[in-house]
Amino acid sequence: MRNLLKWELKQTFQSKAFWGFGITLTLMNTIFLVITSIEGELRGFELFMQGCSDYNSFILLFIGIFAGIHVAGAFEERKIQAAVMAGNSRFNILAVKLFSYSLSVAAFSICAMGTSLIVGVLTNEGVTFVDDFFREVVLRIVAYTLVEVAFVSICFFLSMLVKSLGAAIGVNLVSMLVLNSVGQMLISKEWAVNFMKFTPLGQTFMLLVDASTKNLIVSVAASVLGLAVTVTLSYIKFRKEELK
């Protein structure tokens, strides 16, 4: 397991996909925030929150490609098959693959929201940034990162399901856009909020307006549950699958 994990992490963090998407997402997020700041629409904490919202929009467009390369590409390049032939259990292979994918998404999120925070602080013009910085900013970034990881783990499962790089990218992109559209529609309905807040999708919206201790706990619980569902469904699909 340890050797498998080291091999997987090395493959992931030395890949052009990881660095390319990470840099692209961070730069896009920063550029949009700087433009917003120059136009004078937002400053300080509000600009930081806008950065979090922008990042959620950007990752919807890019994560399907990254997940396709990370998972479906590994099947096409026979890396998964090689790991199985080397005697590794399928659960261990799935676990380290999902872990490296989640770690990548977490890195994307922290970098994008970190730069959003920097831009927000630099444009704050000497006013108190926010009353409770630790909860409103630090804990919100941690919780939002977990929520994003859990939400886009859907693309991990879909890529396991499809296994073809081109098809996986297309399916992932459509799925993310549809889910986000449905989420936006439901979150505006008072009756839907009561169950939406217990899902990673719902929390991508909720955390932008509610960083109360209660909602932070709910968001973490929803993220853990979402990842558990992804692991379970992916393993059911993968454990008896014939590898070609």
Side-chain angles (χ1 to χ4, degrees):
M1 177 68 168
R2 181 181 299 178
N3 290 335
L4 180 63
L5 179 60
K6 289 172 63 177
W7 177 81
E8 175 63 30
L9 292 178
K10 181 179 179 180
Q11 292 288 315
T12 299
F13 297 128
Q14 289 184 351
S15 69
K16 294 179 180 178
F18 172 78
W19 290 102
F21 286 112
I23 292 171
T24 299
L25 284 169
T26 303
L27 284 178
M28 287 184 64
N29 212 60
T30 304
I31 291 169
F32 269 69
L33 282 183
V34 170
I35 292 173
T36 302
S37 174
I38 292 174
E39 292 176 347
E41 297 178 2
L42 299 173
R43 288 287 188 276
F45 181 70
E46 290 181 346
L47 194 62
F48 161 69
M49 293 304 301
Q50 182 62 47
C52 294
S53 178
D54 289 345
Y55 167 70
N56 183 60
S57 300
F58 294 144
I59 199 170
L60 294 176
L61 301 175
F62 288 100
I63 196 59
I65 304 174
F66 180 76
I69 294 172
H70 189 77
V71 182
F75 277 103
E76 289 194 348
E77 295 173 11
R78 302 192 61 80
K79 293 179 180 178
I80 301 292
Q81 294 88 328
V84 173
M85 293 298 293
N88 297 289
S89 75
R90 296 196 178 202
F91 180 80
N92 286 347
I93 294 171
L94 174 66
V96 299
K97 199 71 181 171
L98 180 58
F99 179 73
S100 65
Y101 174 78
S102 300
L103 212 56
S104 298
V105 175
F108 299 158
S109 301
I110 290 172
C111 287
M113 286 185 280
T115 54
S116 298
L117 176 59
I118 292 171
V119 175
V121 170
L122 291 177
T123 60
N124 202 46
E125 299 178 346
V127 182
T128 300
F129 189 74
V130 67
D131 290 337
D132 190 347
F133 184 87
F134 183 72
R135 180 172 56 81
E136 291 286 344
V137 176
V138 178
L139 292 183
R140 179 182 255 127
I141 289 177
V142 173
Y144 206 71
T145 296
L146 290 173
V147 163
E148 289 289 359
V149 168
F151 175 46
V152 302
S153 69
I154 295 170
C155 291
F156 181 93
F157 171 68
L158 291 175
S159 298
M160 289 283 296
L161 198 65
V162 177
K163 290 190 298 184
S164 169
L165 178 56
I169 291 173
V171 170
N172 288 338
L173 177 59
V174 172
S175 299
M176 288 291 98
L177 294 177
V178 169
L179 284 172
N180 188 64
S181 298
V182 171
Q184 287 182 333
M185 180 180 65
L186 290 178
I187 205 69
S188 64
K189 310 294 183 182
E190 187 175 348
W191 59 268
V193 173
N194 289 330
F195 72 85
M196 284 287 290
K197 67 182 180 181
F198 294 108
T199 67
L201 171 59
Q203 283 295 336
T204 61
F205 302 103
M206 291 290 294
L207 277 173
L208 295 176
V209 296
D210 184 5
S212 64
T213 301
K214 180 180 179 181
N215 192 56
L216 289 170
I217 293 172
V218 170
S219 68
V220 172
S223 301
V224 172
L225 179 60
L227 286 170
V229 171
T230 297
V231 170
T232 302
L233 293 178
S234 298
Y235 183 61
I236 290 173
K237 172 68 173 61
F238 184 50
R239 64 177 178 173
K240 293 184 178 180
E241 183 173 1
E242 182 179 350
L243 299 176
K244 300 179 180 179

